[in-house]
mmCIF file of all heavy atoms in Angstrom:
data_model
loop_
_atom_site.group_PDB
_atom_site.id
_atom_site.type_symbol
_atom_site.label_atom_id
_atom_site.label_comp_id
_atom_site.label_asym_id
_atom_site.label_seq_id
_atom_site.Cartn_x
_atom_site.Cartn_y
_atom_site.Cartn_z
ATOM 1 N N ALA B 276 43.243 3.983 -4.164
ATOM 2 C CA ALA B 276 43.844 4.635 -5.323
ATOM 3 C C ALA B 276 45.365 4.602 -5.224
ATOM 4 O O ALA B 276 46.061 4.364 -6.211
ATOM 5 C CB ALA B 276 43.360 6.078 -5.416
ATOM 6 N N LEU B 277 45.890 4.803 -3.994
ATOM 7 C CA LEU B 277 47.339 4.767 -3.784
ATOM 8 C C LEU B 277 47.881 3.380 -4.121
ATOM 9 O O LEU B 277 48.899 3.227 -4.809
ATOM 10 C CB LEU B 277 47.651 5.141 -2.332
ATOM 11 C CG LEU B 277 49.130 5.178 -1.969
ATOM 12 C CD1 LEU B 277 49.823 6.299 -2.749
ATOM 13 C CD2 LEU B 277 49.316 5.378 -0.484
ATOM 14 N N LEU B 278 47.159 2.367 -3.638
ATOM 15 C CA LEU B 278 47.564 0.990 -3.885
ATOM 16 C C LEU B 278 47.574 0.727 -5.391
ATOM 17 O O LEU B 278 48.532 0.157 -5.940
ATOM 18 C CB LEU B 278 46.580 0.039 -3.188
ATOM 19 C CG LEU B 278 46.994 -1.421 -3.133
ATOM 20 C CD1 LEU B 278 48.254 -1.578 -2.289
ATOM 21 C CD2 LEU B 278 45.871 -2.259 -2.555
ATOM 22 N N ALA B 279 46.514 1.191 -6.059
ATOM 23 C CA ALA B 279 46.402 0.985 -7.503
ATOM 24 C C ALA B 279 47.559 1.675 -8.225
ATOM 25 O O ALA B 279 48.135 1.130 -9.174
ATOM 26 C CB ALA B 279 45.074 1.524 -8.002
ATOM 27 N N ALA B 280 47.934 2.885 -7.732
ATOM 28 C CA ALA B 280 49.023 3.626 -8.359
ATOM 29 C C ALA B 280 50.334 2.850 -8.240
ATOM 30 O O ALA B 280 51.125 2.762 -9.190
ATOM 31 C CB ALA B 280 49.161 4.993 -7.713
ATOM 32 N N LEU B 281 50.559 2.241 -7.042
ATOM 33 C CA LEU B 281 51.787 1.472 -6.829
ATOM 34 C C LEU B 281 51.825 0.264 -7.759
ATOM 35 O O LEU B 281 52.855 -0.051 -8.361
ATOM 36 C CB LEU B 281 51.887 1.017 -5.377
ATOM 37 C CG LEU B 281 52.187 2.131 -4.369
ATOM 38 C CD1 LEU B 281 52.058 1.632 -2.953
ATOM 39 C CD2 LEU B 281 53.582 2.702 -4.619
ATOM 40 N N VAL B 282 50.676 -0.405 -7.870
ATOM 41 C CA VAL B 282 50.597 -1.578 -8.751
ATOM 42 C C VAL B 282 50.885 -1.162 -10.187
ATOM 43 O O VAL B 282 51.650 -1.807 -10.903
ATOM 44 C CB VAL B 282 49.204 -2.237 -8.642
ATOM 45 C CG1 VAL B 282 49.022 -3.286 -9.725
ATOM 46 C CG2 VAL B 282 49.033 -2.869 -7.267
ATOM 47 N N LEU B 283 50.310 -0.029 -10.594
ATOM 48 C CA LEU B 283 50.510 0.436 -11.969
ATOM 49 C C LEU B 283 51.976 0.799 -12.228
ATOM 50 O O LEU B 283 52.513 0.545 -13.304
ATOM 51 C CB LEU B 283 49.622 1.653 -12.243
ATOM 52 C CG LEU B 283 48.148 1.326 -12.437
ATOM 53 C CD1 LEU B 283 47.335 2.595 -12.549
ATOM 54 C CD2 LEU B 283 47.950 0.472 -13.692
ATOM 55 N N LEU B 284 52.600 1.384 -11.184
ATOM 56 C CA LEU B 284 54.012 1.754 -11.322
ATOM 57 C C LEU B 284 54.844 0.507 -11.598
ATOM 58 O O LEU B 284 55.677 0.466 -12.518
ATOM 59 C CB LEU B 284 54.474 2.445 -10.041
ATOM 60 C CG LEU B 284 55.824 3.156 -10.110
ATOM 61 C CD1 LEU B 284 55.734 4.326 -11.099
ATOM 62 C CD2 LEU B 284 56.241 3.644 -8.741
ATOM 63 N N GLY B 285 54.591 -0.542 -10.799
ATOM 64 C CA GLY B 285 55.305 -1.819 -10.972
ATOM 65 C C GLY B 285 55.019 -2.380 -12.352
ATOM 66 O O GLY B 285 55.925 -2.815 -13.076
ATOM 67 N N ALA B 286 53.738 -2.312 -12.732
ATOM 68 C CA ALA B 286 53.344 -2.853 -14.029
ATOM 69 C C ALA B 286 54.026 -2.075 -15.152
ATOM 70 O O ALA B 286 54.382 -2.629 -16.192
ATOM 71 C CB ALA B 286 51.832 -2.773 -14.175
ATOM 72 N N GLY B 287 54.241 -0.775 -14.917
ATOM 73 C CA GLY B 287 54.876 0.078 -15.919
ATOM 74 C C GLY B 287 56.293 -0.403 -16.247
ATOM 75 O O GLY B 287 56.667 -0.529 -17.410
ATOM 76 N N PHE B 288 57.072 -0.716 -15.173
ATOM 77 C CA PHE B 288 58.451 -1.223 -15.379
ATOM 78 C C PHE B 288 58.433 -2.519 -16.189
ATOM 79 O O PHE B 288 59.198 -2.712 -17.124
ATOM 80 C CB PHE B 288 59.129 -1.492 -14.024
ATOM 81 C CG PHE B 288 59.587 -0.227 -13.369
ATOM 82 C CD1 PHE B 288 59.122 0.144 -12.121
ATOM 83 C CD2 PHE B 288 60.504 0.609 -14.010
ATOM 84 C CE1 PHE B 288 59.527 1.309 -11.526
ATOM 85 C CE2 PHE B 288 60.925 1.781 -13.403
ATOM 86 C CZ PHE B 288 60.433 2.128 -12.163
#
Side-chain angles (χ1 to χ4, degrees):
Chain B
L277 181 65
L278 191 64
L281 289 171
V282 170
L283 285 174
L284 192 65
F288 283 121

